[in-house]
């Protein structure tokens, strides 16, 4: 009965097929086995959106349609506010509306690639975003 309630079954290969010879792209090799993407990755990427949708459904059931619509419009307006193209946005207003500003998550201290600092020339980035090419 416990096996039936398991939602994610492990599919990882127990032994990597490492060989010194060249293989065809259709044959399993060490690199293709290590490049396997786990099914929980998509679930974790969509966790915040899924949690927000559930919260809005609960709010709609309790308060009616007006409260979730208002919160959705506020969140939409907060996403329209931006910075200059060469400055990445911290999305602080969106975090305040969704309540994520009060929690410390994995991406806050271990960093994800989207939040890496990028040293670019501000004039070149603004000209590119405006379609001005010299």
């Amino acid at each position: 009965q416990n096996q039936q309630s398991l939602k994610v079954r492990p599919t990882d290969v127990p032994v990597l097929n490492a060989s010194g010879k060249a293989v065809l792209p259709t044959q399993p090799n060490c690199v293709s086995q290590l490049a396997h993407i786990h099914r929980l990755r998509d679930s974790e990427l969509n966790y915040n959106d899924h949690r927000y949708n559930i919260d809005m459904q609960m709010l709609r059931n309790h308060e009616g349609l007006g409260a979730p619509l208002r919160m959705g419009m506020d969140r939409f307006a907060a996403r329209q506010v931006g910075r200059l193209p060469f400055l990445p946005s911290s999305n602080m207003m969106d975090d305040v509306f969704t309540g994520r500003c009060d929690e410390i998550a994995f991406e806050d201290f271990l960093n994800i690639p989207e939040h890496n600092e990028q040293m670019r020339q501000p004039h070149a980035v603004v000209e590119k975003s405006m379609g001005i090419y010299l």
Side-chain angles (χ1 to χ4, degrees), residues 18-60:
S19 63
K21 62 179 185 167
V23 294
L24 297 173
T26 57
Q27 295 176 338
N29 59 9
C30 194
V31 174
S32 68
Q33 292 172 8
L34 291 175
H36 172 71
I37 297 172
H38 200 276
R39 288 181 281 186
L40 280 178
R41 187 191 79 166
D42 295 332
S43 174
E44 287 297 315
L45 287 175
N46 298 325
Y47 172 75
N48 289 326
D49 293 332
H50 182 67
R51 191 177 78 178
Y52 176 77
N53 289 334
I54 288 175
D55 289 344
M56 291 301 107
Q57 287 175 359
M58 287 175 34
L59 186 63
R60 180 181 179 195

Side-chain angles (χ1 to χ4, degrees), residues 108-128:
D108 292 328
F109 63 92
L110 289 177
N111 204 357
I112 53 178
E114 296 93 55
H115 297 140
N116 288 344
E117 293 183 18
Q118 298 173 353
M119 193 62 159
R120 297 181 282 182
Q121 295 180 353
H123 294 288
V125 175
V126 171
E127 288 173 1
K128 183 177 180 183

